[in-house]
């Protein structure tokens, strides 16, 4: 079969103005980025507000292998399948980060015959949203360091700066740096840090903001440092908010592209789910709900990360309620959770699959706690055997969940019609009793412990002295009633990526806690997870190039 990029490059794309008609948008509603990409205008968004909301379907997954297992592929294929059977459906998904594109995982445009296109532009610079977010974040950092040099009127303690510079690239050498070296006018010498752009609070704010006014208000609340009196210093205190908003005024508008089958795909925002809240923008989701009868959205990595944050953070803040959840599993990931090495995942191994299937079972149990109907689907790989698929089907049906095989990677929307039928039945069943995992009134520790024990299956939580002190300070500052955003490895339910399957008899280790006051949640960092990833020994970047015809090769 052809590679993902070959399929994408050979696709016949519609002019984006024709795709926009499917969501009730005219040419005047679009800010065009060439023939196949556009931003949706504020005027269009306001006009759609009076429309009835469509049905919302969340696509999530079990804990993946390092290569990822096709959650976005299923999201896009399900959307094409619904359109094939006569439903008015659209996708609302995240923008890819350059970090994974050039690292291990690859891009985030789907795969095979279930992709969002133009694939190359989406996976690379797209409409410039990530560059705008990076610039706004780093402007704030520059203004902070300038303030330190120019007299430090706010009495900022240079040893208590908490804002990090950012870059949309995996670059471990920038995790810990020293700035201000050189002459006096080169700045105040202090330790500094970088995180990847998708882990910044600016990214989270853009994805949770309702409009430009809400965005501006949230930016002003970003805590950048603490002063010598242990009081927070904000972006508003540094008078940086206006300029940051200007940098983001275009980025806050949702982007519209299309699937391989020319159906509408909203792509906007891109926080990672292992170190941020892992969902596309509230704005894009709400626009899609007004523009289509069915909206298929995704949340990053496993359901222990992306789905939990979608349900407990995004839905809580935005007033959303999913009508169904699709849980993606693969024979490969189940075998990986059963102890099979990555190099051997294409070989049949029903015993290992049955050992690792407890991971799927735990995710099913977790999603049922939110009182939403769950459909389990197998993203079928060509190496999957009938025996492996039958073992998974038997297990899922034993849990009382709906089940369907997805063959969208190989067959596009036609390979997702069985899944679409199950999803429509689940929506008819409805989720009238949807509930959050925890209430706002719980303490921060109680929220962290609820997620750790209920979702991850831990016996409890251990806190570093620094985390304990931070939690006490954050609650004293008045942020005790906000949700928690857990940062941990995506490869395990635990905070140790080596504990696969359904680990028991362990505790979650919280080493650091900080408040994202503008985003409106508290981040708890567990285990060894880093907010600036590194490249692998043999990064994907080594195999990406432009051929003699000017075409990109190797991007996936």
């Amino acid at each position: 079969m052809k590679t993902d990029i070959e399929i994408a490059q050979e696709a016949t794309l519609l002019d984006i103005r024709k795709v926009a008609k499917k969501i009730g948008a005219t040419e005047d509603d679009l800010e065009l980025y060439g023939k196949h990409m556009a931003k949706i205008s504020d005027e269009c968004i306001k006009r759609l507000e009076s429309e009835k909301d469509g049905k919302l379907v969340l696509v999530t997954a079990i804990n993946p292998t390092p290569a990822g297992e096709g959650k976005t592929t299923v999201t896009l294929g399900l959307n094409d399948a619904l359109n094939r059977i006569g439903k008015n459906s659209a996708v609302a998904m995240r923008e890819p980060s350059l970090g994974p594109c050039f690292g291990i995982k690859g891009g985030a445009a789907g795969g095979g015959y279930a992709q969002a296109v133009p694939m190359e532009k989406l996976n690379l610079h797209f409409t410039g949203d990530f560059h705008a977010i990076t610039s706004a974040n780093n402007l704030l950092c520059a203004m902070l360091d300038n303030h330190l040099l120019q007299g430090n009127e706010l009495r900022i303690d240079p040893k208590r700066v908490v804002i990090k510079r950012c870059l949309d690239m995996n670059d471990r050498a920038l995790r810990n740096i020293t700035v201000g070296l050189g002459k006096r006018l080169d700045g105040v010498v202090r330790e500094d840090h970088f995180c990847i752009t998708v882990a910044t609070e600016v990214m989270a704010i853009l994805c949770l903001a309702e409009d430009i006014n809400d965005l501006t208000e949230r930016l002003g609340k970003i805590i950048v440092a603490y002063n010598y009196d242990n009081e927070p210093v904000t972006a508003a205190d540094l008078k940086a908010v206006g300029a940051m908003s200007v940098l983001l005024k275009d980025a806050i508008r949702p982007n519209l592209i299309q699937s391989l089958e020319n159906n509408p795909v909203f792509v906007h925002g891109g926080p990672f789910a292992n170190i941020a809240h892992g969902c596309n923008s509230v704005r894009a989701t709400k626009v899609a709900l007004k523009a289509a009868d069915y909206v298929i959205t995704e949340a990053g990595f496993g359901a222990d990360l992306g789905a939990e944050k979608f349900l407990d953070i995004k839905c809580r803040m935005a007033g959303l309620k999913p009508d169904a959840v699709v849980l993606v599993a693969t024979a490969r990931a189940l075998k990986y959770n059963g102890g099979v090495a990555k190099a051997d995942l294409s070989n049949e191994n029903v015993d290992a699959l049955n050992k690792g299937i407890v991971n799927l079972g735990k995710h099913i149990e977790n999603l049922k706690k939110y009182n939403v109907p769950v459909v389990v689907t197998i993203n079928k790989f060509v190496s999957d055997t009938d025996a492996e698929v039958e073992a998974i089907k038997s297990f899922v049906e034993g849990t009382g969940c709906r089940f369907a095989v997805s063959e969208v990677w190989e067959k596009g929307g036609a390979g997702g019609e069985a899944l679409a039928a199950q999803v429509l039945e689940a929506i008819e069943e409805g989720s009238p009793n949807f509930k959050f995992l925890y209430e706002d009134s719980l303490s921060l520790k109680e929220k962290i412990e609820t997620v750790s024990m209920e979702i991850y299956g831990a016996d409890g939580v251990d806190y570093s002295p620094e985390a304990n002190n931070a939690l006490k300070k954050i609650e004293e500052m008045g942020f005790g009633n906000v949700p928690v955003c857990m940062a941990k490895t995506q490869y395990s339910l635990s905070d140790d990526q080596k504990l696969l399957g359904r680990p028991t008899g362990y505790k979650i280790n919280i080493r650091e806690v900080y408040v994202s006051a503008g985003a409106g949640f508290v981040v708890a960092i567990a285990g060894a997870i880093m907010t600036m990833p590194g490249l692998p020994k043999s990064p994907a970047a080594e195999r990406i190039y432009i051929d003699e015809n000017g075409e990109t090769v190797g991007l996936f």
Side-chain angles (χ1 to χ4, degrees):
M1 185 167 162
K2 296 175 181 177
T3 64
D4 291 349
I5 195 167
E6 287 172 340
I7 293 170
Q9 288 170 343
E10 293 175 4
T12 301
L13 276 63
L14 286 182
D15 188 301
I16 195 63
R17 291 170 291 188
K18 292 183 179 179
V19 178
K21 288 181 180 179
K22 296 184 179 183
I23 63 165
T26 67
E27 184 173 348
D28 289 339
D29 293 325
L30 306 177
E31 181 180 345
L32 298 173
Y33 284 71
K35 294 181 179 179
H36 304 125
M37 307 188 303
K39 281 190 169 290
I40 305 296
S41 70
D42 293 335
E43 291 75 18
C44 180
I45 293 171
K46 288 181 181 179
R47 190 178 71 249
L48 289 170
E49 285 178 354
S50 60
E51 298 293 327
K52 181 182 177 181
D53 281 343
K55 300 295 185 179
L56 182 61
V57 179
L58 170 67
V59 178
T60 185
I62 64 171
N63 293 99
T65 72
E69 297 307 307
K71 175 168 43 59
T72 305
T73 300
V74 171
T75 298
L76 290 158
L78 172 58
N79 181 61
D80 283 340
L82 286 166
N83 279 284
R84 281 178 63 90
I85 61 176
K87 304 300 182 182
N88 175 21
S89 179
V91 163
M93 57 183 260
R94 294 170 300 157
E95 300 177 43
S97 164
L98 294 178
C101 281
F102 298 119
I104 295 178
K105 186 172 172 288
Y113 287 94
Q115 295 189 54
V117 284
M119 178 263 220
E120 291 171 66
K121 291 182 178 179
L122 172 59
N123 274 319
L124 300 177
H125 304 290
F126 199 30
T127 59
D129 292 346
F130 281 23
H131 298 304
I133 292 165
T134 301
S135 298
N137 181 90
N138 291 346
L139 170 64
L140 178 57
C141 294
M143 291 183 72
L144 181 146
D145 278 305
N146 183 62
H147 185 89
L148 290 174
L149 177 70
Q150 303 288 358
N152 196 9
E153 182 181 347
L154 295 172
R155 302 180 64 251
I156 295 170
D157 183 351
K159 294 185 179 295
R160 299 206 61 200
V161 173
V162 293
I163 187 78
K164 295 180 180 179
R165 288 174 161 83
C166 70
L167 183 72
D168 187 36
M169 194 65 65
N170 292 358
D171 193 347
R172 61 168 56 84
L174 292 177
R175 287 173 183 164
N176 304 291
I177 62 172
T178 301
V179 297
L181 295 173
K183 299 178 181 179
R184 188 186 70 82
L185 293 180
D186 292 331
V188 173
V189 177
R190 67 177 184 87
E191 183 179 352
D192 201 3
H193 311 273
F194 270 77
C195 64
I196 193 166
T197 297
V198 289
T200 62
E201 186 174 358
V202 177
M203 173 66 81
I205 287 172
L206 181 112
C207 289
L208 292 169
E210 296 281 350
D211 53 34
I212 190 66
N213 294 326
D214 187 27
L215 174 81
T216 300
E217 183 179 349
R218 287 172 177 269
L219 289 174
K221 295 177 181 178
I222 295 175
I223 296 173
V224 298
Y226 291 84
N227 64 20
Y228 288 111
D229 297 318
N230 200 26
E231 298 167 335
V233 178
T234 66
D237 293 329
L238 286 172
K239 302 176 183 178
V241 179
M244 293 174 71
S245 299
V246 168
L247 285 171
L248 296 169
K249 69 181 180 68
D250 292 324
I252 195 176
R253 296 175 184 143
N255 307 294
L256 179 68
I257 55 173
Q258 62 192 288
S259 68
L260 286 175
E261 298 183 16
N262 310 124
N263 295 308
V265 179
F266 293 90
V267 190
H268 196 217
F272 280 174
N274 58 346
I275 49 181
H277 75 285
C279 306
N280 78 295
S281 77
V282 166
R283 218 171 180 219
T285 302
K286 288 191 170 183
V287 172
L289 284 168
K290 297 296 185 182
D293 295 329
Y294 297 90
V295 174
I296 316 302
T297 192
E298 48 134 25
F301 290 124
D304 54 321
L305 291 165
E308 187 275 317
K309 294 171 183 181
F310 176 89
L311 298 166
D312 284 318
I313 296 177
K314 181 174 178 177
C315 287
R316 189 189 304 261
M317 291 188 182
L320 298 171
K321 179 181 76 68
D323 295 282
V325 176
V326 174
L327 178 60
V328 179
T330 64
R332 289 165 50 90
L334 292 173
K335 288 184 285 188
Y336 182 79
N337 274 280
V340 175
K342 182 180 174 183
D344 299 324
L345 291 176
S346 295
N347 301 326
E348 181 181 278
N349 192 330
V350 177
D351 289 340
L353 185 149
N354 285 329
K355 180 181 177 183
I357 209 164
V358 292
N359 185 267
L360 171 59
K362 176 57 175 167
H363 286 296
I364 291 172
E365 289 176 23
N366 289 347
L367 290 169
K368 286 183 174 181
K369 293 176 181 180
Y370 294 90
N371 288 344
V372 291
V374 179
V375 180
V376 177
T377 188
I378 298 304
N379 180 32
K380 195 170 186 299
F381 282 64
V382 292
S383 60
D384 296 350
T385 67
D386 291 343
E388 290 174 336
V389 173
E390 184 57 37
I392 299 168
K393 180 176 184 289
S394 177
F395 178 85
V396 171
E397 290 179 345
T399 68
C401 286
R402 290 179 172 82
F403 174 83
V405 175
S406 170
E407 297 180 279
V408 298
W409 180 84
E410 181 182 1
K411 301 177 181 178
E417 290 186 15
L419 172 59
Q422 292 293 334
V423 169
L424 290 174
E425 287 185 16
I427 291 172
E428 286 300 314
E429 174 188 322
S431 54
N433 301 312
F434 170 69
K435 65 176 184 178
F436 302 122
L437 185 68
Y438 54 80
E439 297 301 323
D440 291 335
S441 58
L442 294 182
S443 69
L444 293 176
K445 276 194 172 183
E446 287 173 323
K447 292 168 186 170
I448 291 169
E449 289 158 11
T450 298
V451 174
S452 297
M453 292 186 281
E454 292 289 326
I455 300 299
Y456 307 156
D459 290 342
V461 179
D462 287 333
Y463 301 89
S464 70
E466 293 80 7
N468 267 321
N469 292 336
L471 284 165
K472 181 180 178 181
K473 173 66 176 176
I474 290 167
E475 291 195 332
E476 289 174 353
M477 291 165 57
F479 293 104
N481 64 337
V482 302
V484 294
C485 182
M486 304 288 284
K488 75 167 186 70
T489 179
Q490 66 270 30
Y491 300 127
S492 170
L493 284 161
S494 74
D495 59 5
D496 180 353
Q497 68 177 29
K498 296 179 181 179
L499 297 180
L500 302 177
R502 184 174 181 169
T504 58
Y506 71 93
K507 290 187 176 183
I508 292 291
N509 300 284
I510 302 299
R511 77 171 199 266
E512 181 183 352
V513 178
Y514 60 88
V515 60
S516 291
F521 53 67
V522 167
V523 179
I525 297 181
I529 194 71
M530 296 288 183
T531 57
M532 171 55 87
L535 292 171
K537 185 173 183 179
S538 178
E542 294 178 353
R543 296 172 289 281
I544 297 173
Y545 62 94
I546 297 174
D547 68 13
E548 61 275 10
N549 298 315
E551 297 286 350
T552 301
V553 178
L555 190 64
F556 67 100

